[in-house]
Amino acid sequence: MASSSDVTSSSGDTPERPESGSVRRGRVRARRAAVMAVPATLVAAGLAVLTSEGALGVQFAISGMPFTVTATELDGTGFAQFGGLDEMAPGSPNEGDTGGQVLIVTSAIKNATLTKLCQSVDLGGTNLLITAGGGAEKVTARDLTTDSTELSGDAAFSNIEIGNDASTLTKAGVKGPIGVFSQQADTVRIAHLRQTNYATTAGVFKLPGLKLRFSGSGC
């Protein structure tokens, strides 16, 4: 550990104190930097809160290749549906004349059960085929969302609300953009489900009896 004589200059001179003006300018710069940092911090914190509340979904660039999903039956609790726009990666060869954007309908289900799930994507001459839930145990999902351009089946809802503002949805844990038409229900049941999707996300997705293979035909 250094003694006091070690840190004293050999000439005996004491270090010069900076002029008061430079100290003042330094403090002003520090204050300005701190003030400028506050909005960025608040925005980051706000986005984290919105994501945790489901107001903002986790976004990713879609491939632009649609895939088909079918199930003999879907049962769900906590249902919501609203319009949206999916984006492809910049320069995607699949964008065609769309500009890389696809108008979709997002369907969100808090807890879902699917019987005899089938998913296929046309790779040009052959299909990548995935099947699950064909036995006694069904496919289950939590916080399931699908971005679809087509959806068909025989549907039944309980306590449905139609015409909500998508930013006010409460039943599926997901909210859409403000000013967008939406609907929600306590439960949903769709027999003979068929969807054309561009994206699917889930917090948990369990697929008993999963089989993945190439096939000459899709779902």
Side-chain angles (χ1 to χ4, degrees):
M1 189 170 180
S3 64
S4 59
S5 59
D6 294 327
V7 296
T8 304
S9 62
S10 59
S11 63
D13 296 333
T14 58
E16 292 184 2
R17 297 181 62 186
E19 296 179 4
S20 60
S22 65
V23 174
R24 193 174 299 113
R25 285 194 296 273
R27 289 175 178 170
V28 169
R29 291 194 194 100
R31 289 195 197 100
R32 286 177 179 170
V35 170
M36 291 174 66
V38 168
T41 304
L42 290 177
V43 168
L47 288 175
V49 170
L50 289 173
T51 301
S52 67
E53 292 179 348
L56 296 176
V58 178
Q59 299 297 314
F60 56 85
I62 63 170
S63 69
M65 297 177 66
F67 54 95
T68 300
V69 174
T70 66
T72 57
E73 184 173 301
L74 178 149
D75 287 286
T77 58
F79 170 81
Q81 197 172 62
F82 53 89
L85 198 65
D86 279 353
E87 300 271 357
M88 300 179 204
S92 171
N94 299 319
E95 67 179 25
D97 58 358
T98 66
Q101 296 180 325
V102 179
L103 185 64
I104 52 86
V105 173
T106 295
S107 302
I109 303 176
K110 190 65 179 175
N111 294 286
T113 301
L114 300 100
T115 304
K116 294 184 179 179
L117 174 70
C118 179
Q119 176 180 300
S120 64
V121 56
D122 187 349
L123 302 177
T126 189
N127 292 268
L128 179 61
L129 188 69
I130 297 173
T131 57
E137 192 175 356
K138 300 179 181 180
V139 171
T140 58
R142 188 176 73 236
D143 297 324
L144 175 69
T145 66
T146 58
D147 289 358
S148 312
T149 53
E150 293 183 28
L151 188 156
S152 63
D154 300 317
F157 304 92
S158 66
N159 296 322
I160 190 168
E161 302 170 1
I162 301 174
N164 309 60
D165 188 293
S167 67
T168 66
L169 294 171
T170 59
K171 296 189 177 185
V174 173
K175 297 179 182 180
I178 190 170
V180 172
F181 179 93
S182 70
Q183 59 184 2
Q184 64 177 354
D186 287 346
T187 67
V188 57
R189 180 183 179 277
I190 304 176
H192 314 299
L193 171 70
R194 188 175 189 87
Q195 293 177 301
T196 300
N197 294 344
Y198 277 87
T200 297
T201 65
V204 176
F205 211 179
K206 296 183 179 181
L207 298 109
L210 172 67
K211 292 182 180 179
L212 185 152
R213 60 195 182 277
F214 292 102
S215 173
S217 59
C219 298

